[in-house]
């Protein structure tokens, strides 16, 4: 995340709130649960001084890296009007995010996609989901969750808090035309830190 206009990392099955992390690229006896990540993003989103400290850019997203619980990766993100992430996933990481100011919209796919070895997939009917996330609302997501997050406001910034575990090993970026989802690129941590 070297510039304010870089894409921000921000997925079908959500691990049980009390389940330890399994699978993926990292596990630990102290790994946070989905519930702990959700508690963290909710409580951080209520920190008015922190939210106010985020510099907001009228043209591109801005962010501050935070210390997440149990070695998780966390971000405070500012969203100018009309900005979004594009379709992406977080590979082997699960996570949570909450809107701290303004409102965000999430479009997601209610289907588990193959993790590797494909470039183009045709999606079936009925897999699209959308949700509005007003201030104080958030959600958790599991590994390989494909979504896009948008600030659809024409006038107001939005701010959100995100946490991921294990720390993001990669982000896959997709394009979508109708029912066709196409893998466009894979980003690694060095691409956004």
């Amino acid at each position: 995340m070297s510039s304010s206009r870089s894409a921000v990392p921000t997925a079908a099955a959500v691990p049980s709130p009390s389940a330890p992390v399994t699978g993926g690229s990292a596990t630990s006896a102290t790994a946070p649960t989905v519930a702990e990540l959700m508690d963290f993003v909710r409580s951080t989103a209520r920190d008015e001084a922190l939210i106010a400290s985020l510099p907001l850019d009228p043209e591109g997203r801005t962010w501050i890296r935070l210390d997440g619980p149990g070695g998780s990766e966390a971000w405070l993100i500012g969203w100018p009007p009309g900005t979004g992430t594009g379709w992406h996933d977080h590979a082997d990481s699960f996570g949570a995010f909450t809107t701290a100011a303004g409102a965000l919209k999430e479009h997601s796919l209610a289907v588990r996609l193959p993790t590797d070895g494909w470039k183009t997939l045709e999606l079936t009917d009925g897999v699209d989901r959308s949700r509005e996330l007003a201030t104080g609302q958030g959600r958790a997501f599991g590994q390989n969750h494909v979504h896009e997050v948008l600030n659809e406001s024409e006038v107001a910034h939005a701010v959100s808090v995100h946490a991921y575990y294990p720390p993001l090993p990669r982000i896959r970026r997709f394009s979508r035309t109708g029912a066709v989802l196409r893998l466009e690129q894979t980003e690694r941590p060095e691409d956004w830190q």
Side-chain angles (χ1 to χ4, degrees):
M1 295 195 168
S2 58
S3 79
S4 66
R5 293 194 180 105
S6 294
V8 176
T10 358
V14 176
S16 157
S18 61
V21 179
T22 59
S25 58
T27 60
S28 156
T30 61
T33 64
V34 171
E36 289 167 333
L37 292 183
M38 197 72 212
D39 288 346
F40 170 80
V41 298
R42 284 182 176 148
S43 65
T44 303
R46 291 189 298 268
D47 183 338
E48 293 177 11
L50 177 64
I51 303 311
S53 75
L54 179 66
L56 300 177
D57 182 324
E59 297 181 23
R61 285 183 293 155
T62 53
W63 49 82
I64 297 173
R65 181 121 189 213
L66 306 172
D67 291 327
S72 64
E73 180 172 342
W75 299 90
L76 176 64
I77 301 172
W79 306 75
T83 58
T85 60
W87 288 95
H88 67 282
D89 74 3
H90 305 108
D92 297 327
S93 298
F94 64 89
F97 71 98
T98 294
T99 304
L104 293 171
K105 185 166 198 171
E106 181 199 37
H107 298 289
S108 62
L109 300 177
V111 63
R112 185 130 180 132
L113 300 177
T115 56
D116 289 304
W118 65 277
K119 293 285 184 190
T120 304
L121 291 174
E122 186 164 348
L123 302 170
T124 60
D125 289 339
V127 299
D128 288 292
R129 301 290 182 268
S130 290
R131 69 181 71 206
E132 301 282 339
L133 298 165
T135 299
Q137 294 180 322
R139 72 158 312 193
F141 51 85
Q143 297 171 326
N144 303 301
H145 175 68
V146 177
H147 69 168
E148 68 175 345
V149 180
L150 310 160
N151 177 4
E152 294 185 321
S153 173
E154 295 179 14
V155 296
H157 268 80
V159 176
S160 58
V161 180
H162 303 248
Y164 312 94
Y165 190 86
L168 297 170
R170 63 184 174 152
I171 297 173
R172 296 184 304 176
R173 300 249 169 230
F174 308 100
S175 63
R176 180 154 182 207
T177 306
V180 177
L181 188 70
R182 183 179 323 278
L183 176 63
E184 296 293 343
Q185 75 181 72
T186 301
E187 297 175 4
R188 307 268 179 219
E190 56 271 16
D191 297 325
W192 64 77
Q193 294 183 4

